Amino acid sequence: MMKELDEDILEKIDAYLDGNMSKEEHDVFLKNMDSDEELNKQVESVRQVRAGIKSFHFRNNLKQNSKKFQESATKPNYTAYLLSGIAASIILIISFNLVFQNNSDRQLLFAEYFEPYPYLGAPRGEANLDDLGTAYRSYVNRNYKEAVESFQRLAKEQLNIPKNKFYLGVSYMGAGDMRSAITNFESILSESIYHQQTQWYLGLCYIKLEDWEKAQYYLKLIDPDTELGKQAEALISSIAD
Amino acid sequence: MQVRYICEVNLKSMRITFRSKSYSDTEVLQVLKSSDEKSQNKVIQYLYNSNWKSIKSYIGKNSGTEDEAADLFQEVLIVFYDKIQQDKFKGDSSISTYIFSIAKNLWMNSLRRKNKEMLHMEVVKSEMDSDPATVEISNMQLFYSLFEKLSQECQKILKYAYYESLSMKEIQMRFEGLKNEQSAKTKKYRCMKNLVTVFEQNRVTQESFYA
């Protein structure tokens, strides 16, 4: 049986087990342990009791929370679900961005290819222009909103002239109103002297509206042997990429 | 179409796996040796997450119920915790392998004991009782009963000193009757001396019983 413990010895054993001894104290204590079997036993006993005290409270904590630990280990991992959800959202955003990026690339096609059809006969500088003169001057000056308003003020007969309707269509496009431009172009598609140009602009309108099928439909109508036809082919392949 | 293709490529290349916080074996040992109960609870949860299903399945396949598996798993963790406190876990195998082997031994002993009881055989010291984990459990249970016999004040002081690693100043401040650090230290070692003494006396008794 182990000799009864002295409280001073207990304090020293604690300091030894906690590593709170100076090097000198530690060396002396080890030397004592080498020569004193009783001290060895006491150190081992204190070590076990200290571990037992910790184990007692660890067990109490475990008992109190074991149901919770167990349930968490068997239940679906909501954190993982949440993180998966976040991941899915990130993927969705990335995908969305890719689509958007791709659409943006296509939108860039419009900006790249859209050029107002040249008009060389517009009057310049005159103070008292009629609506038609004002419309074409605004058109040449790329003031498309004003051009549209001026074209719209024309008498019906004057407005129905395919040439004027063609330029009104391009003005609508310049003003950003693709729907009105399409309606206007489609009304002159069969009779305009600007037949291929009308198809070209219709194609561009549908690109702007992201209606890729209709865009390709009109662009494919353009004669591939013409300069405009070659541009249309290049544009179609850009959409398909 | 290009858009779909790009998305598919990205989804395939993004191999994302999510797990609750995991710990290396070294981290598990460090946390369980510390006095930080919050961190310990996180590590215990991790140990449950990584070991509970396999142990429950093993017990289930070996005539045990889920409740028995739950009780056994608690015992396994207590034995494992105790091994760590006494620096007896050397890390020769992974923690999961170690935990599983403790569970297996404890359950096999429990089954043998059950069978003996069913056959009305006398439960005497046998090979099964000399299994280290089983002996450890029985020693711990003895210790717990002795600890519970200490005064409430002693239980608290020893808990603060050894489980929560509080300083003498902090312990003294938690007791109205302790005027200074020295009186806290005197009280602590008096309680510790009593506990070590009764533990040694009872341990000898137990050893004599089995001899």
Side-chain angles (χ1 to χ4, degrees):
Chain A
M1 188 165 166
M2 196 180 80
K3 236 169 72 180
E4 196 174 323
L5 268 167
D6 181 295
E7 284 161 28
D8 289 339
I9 296 280
L10 262 179
E11 194 175 345
K12 278 187 185 164
I13 294 174
D14 257 2
Y16 167 72
L17 294 174
D18 288 331
N20 287 337
M21 282 179 159
S22 67
K23 195 182 177 307
E24 290 73 27
E25 286 171 330
H26 187 258
D27 289 346
V28 171
F29 193 81
L30 281 182
K31 212 174 174 184
N32 289 341
M33 275 175 73
D34 280 344
S35 58
D36 186 347
E37 201 184 325
E38 191 60 30
L39 180 62
N40 260 307
K41 279 186 189 171
Q42 288 171 334
V43 169
E44 191 49 39
S45 186
V46 171
R47 191 200 302 273
Q48 285 182 25
V49 168
R50 283 165 50 120
I53 294 167
K54 294 182 93 175
S55 160
F56 177 84
H57 293 99
F58 178 80
R59 180 198 64 160
N60 288 352
N61 176 37
L62 200 57
K63 276 192 171 179
Q64 276 173 19
N65 297 302
S66 62
K67 276 260 180 293
K68 191 184 78 185
F69 292 136
Q70 204 176 301
E71 278 169 15
S72 294
T74 37
K75 267 186 185 174
N77 188 338
Y78 292 112
T79 309
Y81 279 147
L82 180 67
L83 290 170
S84 303
I86 293 167
S89 305
I90 291 167
I91 291 168
L92 200 65
I93 290 164
I94 291 168
S95 308
F96 227 87
N97 281 342
L98 286 169
V99 172
F100 185 74
Q101 178 70 43
N102 207 276
N103 285 345
S104 297
D105 289 344
R106 287 173 169 181
Q107 291 291 351
L108 287 176
L109 289 175
F110 177 85
E112 189 184 337
Y113 282 91
F114 174 65
E115 269 293 326
Y117 196 74
Y119 187 78
L120 301 174
R124 295 167 191 270
E126 288 97 335
N128 298 313
L129 286 172
D130 58 11
D131 286 331
L132 189 63
T134 309
Y136 280 111
R137 191 178 62 186
S138 300
Y139 180 88
V140 168
N141 291 336
R142 302 200 171 203
N143 190 348
Y144 299 115
K145 251 188 158 177
E146 205 178 296
V148 166
E149 286 166 7
S150 300
F151 277 120
Q152 283 173 336
R153 281 198 296 270
L154 293 177
K156 199 175 177 184
E157 295 76 12
Q158 203 172 15
L159 184 60
N160 282 340
I161 296 168
K163 176 191 161 190
N164 291 341
K165 275 206 155 185
F166 175 78
Y167 280 103
L168 171 59
V170 180
S171 298
Y172 273 126
M173 286 178 79
D177 184 353
M178 300 302 143
R179 296 276 173 212
S180 299
I182 288 169
T183 310
N184 207 62
F185 286 135
E186 285 178 338
S187 68
I188 56 166
L189 200 55
S190 56
E191 52 191 280
S192 173
I193 48 165
Y194 305 108
H195 189 67
Q196 293 212 10
Q197 280 78 9
T198 303
Q199 290 167 340
W200 168 256
Y201 283 120
L202 273 167
L204 286 177
C205 282
Y206 281 114
I207 284 174
K208 185 73 177 170
L209 294 173
E210 299 176 15
D211 187 336
W212 317 111
E213 274 183 32
K214 281 190 178 171
Q216 290 185 73
Y217 167 76
Y218 281 113
L219 293 171
K220 280 178 183 170
L221 292 176
I222 302 167
D223 183 357
D225 292 327
T226 62
E227 193 56 39
L228 196 60
K230 282 170 188 153
Q231 277 196 59
E233 275 184 344
L235 192 46
I236 289 165
S237 64
S238 295
I239 293 169
D241 280 346
Chain B
M1 215 161 171
Q2 191 198 27
V3 178
R4 197 168 300 158
Y5 175 73
I6 291 169
C7 290
E8 281 169 2
V9 166
N10 276 275
L11 284 169
K12 278 178 186 171
S13 62
M14 287 177 76
R15 292 174 62 85
I16 302 168
T17 53
F18 293 107
R19 290 177 188 169
S20 55
K21 165 99 174 123
S22 64
Y23 296 82
S24 68
D25 283 6
T26 312
E27 286 171 327
V28 169
L29 301 182
Q30 278 171 354
V31 173
L32 290 182
K33 273 203 137 191
S34 76
S35 309
D36 182 352
E37 202 171 83
K38 271 190 180 176
S39 300
Q40 282 192 5
N41 282 343
K42 286 179 188 169
V43 163
I44 297 168
Q45 185 63 67
Y46 163 71
L47 293 174
Y48 262 89
N49 292 349
S50 21
N51 300 286
W52 164 242
K53 281 183 188 168
S54 60
I55 288 174
K56 187 176 73 171
S57 159
Y58 172 78
I59 302 297
K61 283 176 192 164
N62 288 280
S63 329
T65 64
E66 188 168 335
D67 283 347
E68 286 172 319
D71 290 342
L72 183 104
F73 193 67
Q74 277 187 48
E75 283 187 347
V76 169
L77 290 183
I78 293 166
V79 169
F80 175 61
Y81 178 83
D82 193 61
K83 297 270 185 200
I84 294 169
Q85 301 316 310
Q86 297 195 54
D87 296 318
K88 286 182 181 169
F89 174 72
K90 302 292 178 200
D92 296 332
S93 62
S94 72
I95 287 176
S96 287
T97 307
Y98 190 68
I99 282 179
F100 193 78
S101 72
I102 298 174
K104 215 169 146 183
N105 288 337
L106 284 177
W107 183 242
M108 282 300 133
N109 277 327
S110 170
L111 278 182
R112 285 189 204 119
R113 194 176 294 121
K114 261 190 194 174
N115 288 339
K116 283 192 174 186
E117 281 168 7
M118 280 168 68
L119 293 167
H120 306 290
M121 288 173 73
E122 193 185 352
V123 182
V124 292
K125 180 175 167 59
S126 65
E127 193 188 332
M128 72 178 190
D129 296 313
S130 64
D131 169 68
T134 309
V135 170
E136 202 150 347
I137 288 285
S138 97
N139 262 331
M140 277 178 198
Q141 281 164 351
L142 166 73
F143 179 84
Y144 299 155
S145 68
L146 297 173
F147 187 80
E148 282 169 337
K149 283 179 188 165
L150 291 178
S151 70
Q152 282 296 310
E153 193 180 40
C154 272
Q155 285 189 36
K156 279 185 185 171
I157 283 187
L158 295 178
K159 180 190 179 188
Y160 296 150
Y162 296 107
Y163 183 65
E164 296 185 14
S165 302
L166 298 185
S167 67
M168 280 303 147
K169 181 76 191 159
E170 288 167 315
I171 292 173
Q172 181 247 317
M173 286 166 73
R174 292 193 179 195
F175 293 91
E176 278 184 21
L178 300 175
K179 290 176 186 166
N180 51 41
E181 287 177 53
Q182 187 52 48
S183 57
K185 191 188 276 186
T186 306
K187 184 77 187 167
K188 171 191 158 184
Y189 284 117
R190 198 168 293 158
C191 294
M192 188 63 171
K193 183 183 159 185
N194 286 342
L195 184 58
V196 174
T197 306
V198 290
F199 176 65
E200 279 303 320
Q201 284 168 352
N202 282 274
R203 194 159 63 157
V204 170
T205 308
Q206 192 184 40
E207 279 167 2
S208 306
F209 177 79
Y210 283 139

